[in-house]
Amino acid sequence: MLQPVSKILVINDERLVLRELIKGLNSAARSLDNPFGIAFTGVTTAQEALQAIEHDGDIQAVVVDDTLYTLNSERNGSRT
């Protein structure tokens, strides 16, 4: 019997952080009991997320970094 695949899409606009996060999450998913076949994938923009969702029917959930697009504007605002 084939194992199901359930992908979780992570959106984070810091490429290096995203790469390490996805690597760690997938490593954990492989090492633990994973009956639902959970796997993680990531993108850096909302536009990329929409494209991924449209083209990949295995995406079951989306996790969005709560500082997405706001950290730089808050930092810029505090400098003035």
Side-chain angles (χ1 to χ4, degrees), residues 20-41:
E20 292 303 311
L21 181 62
I22 296 300
K23 187 167 59 170
L25 290 169
N26 281 322
S27 177
R30 284 189 302 273
S31 68
L32 299 171
D33 184 28
N34 189 359
F36 300 108
I38 294 174
F40 296 86
T41 186

Side-chain angles (χ1 to χ4, degrees), residues 12-24 43-44:
N12 184 302
D13 59 352
E14 295 289 333
R15 289 190 188 280
L16 294 175
V17 171
L18 179 64
R19 182 174 50 209
E20 292 303 311
L21 181 62
I22 296 300
K23 187 167 59 170
V43 295
T44 58

Side-chain angles (χ1 to χ4, degrees), residues 9-74:
L9 180 66
V10 179
I11 307 171
N12 184 302
D13 59 352
E14 295 289 333
R15 289 190 188 280
L16 294 175
V17 171
L18 179 64
R19 182 174 50 209
E20 292 303 311
L21 181 62
I22 296 300
K23 187 167 59 170
L25 290 169
N26 281 322
S27 177
R30 284 189 302 273
S31 68
L32 299 171
D33 184 28
N34 189 359
F36 300 108
I38 294 174
F40 296 86
T41 186
V43 295
T44 58
T45 67
Q47 184 65 30
E48 289 175 351
L50 290 173
Q51 291 174 349
I53 292 166
E54 287 178 356
H55 293 101
D56 190 342
D58 291 330
I59 294 176
Q60 301 293 315
V62 177
V63 177
V64 180
D65 181 348
D66 68 344
T67 61
L68 190 66
Y69 304 119
T70 60
L71 189 58
N72 289 335
S73 62
E74 287 176 11

